Amino acid sequence: SGGLLAIALPRGTVRWRVATSLPVLGSAALARDTLWALGSDCTIWRVPVAAPASADSIPIPDCVTNTGPTVLRDGVLVASVRGDVILFD
């Protein structure tokens, strides 16, 4: 079913959960106050850490990937299995 979880340490309790409906590939990337993740269907997820209920997502068309996102100063990179590098800004 897929999802992103924030876990409180050292207790190990779930602070919040965002359902993604499909598995998340690779690691999620935390940049400043935002968590970025990439679903197995090439949907990129943006989760504000302080307000996870306002998480949103957007599918990347014609994309097949098997890695997580890479966060840059000006956006997020997604590498496709065809060799494309997609900048999501």
Side-chain angles (χ1 to χ4, degrees):
S1 60
L4 297 163
L5 299 167
I7 306 292
L9 297 175
R11 296 179 310 228
T13 56
V14 175
R15 295 182 67 193
W16 51 257
R17 174 181 162 77
V18 173
T20 60
S21 75
L22 289 170
V24 172
L25 297 171
S27 300
L30 183 62
R32 293 170 292 284
D33 60 350
T34 305
L35 182 74
W36 296 89
L38 192 60
S40 62
D41 63 346
C42 227
T43 295
I44 194 154
W45 285 85
R46 180 179 58 180
V47 182
V49 173
S54 62
D56 61 346
S57 64
I58 186 166
I60 300 173
D62 301 321
C63 173
V64 177
T65 188
N66 60 3
T67 66
T70 301
V71 178
L72 304 174
R73 182 185 332 183
D74 297 328
V76 178
L77 284 180
V78 175
S80 78
V81 296
R82 293 187 312 224
D84 298 326
V85 178
I86 302 158
L87 176 63
F88 177 80
D89 61 357

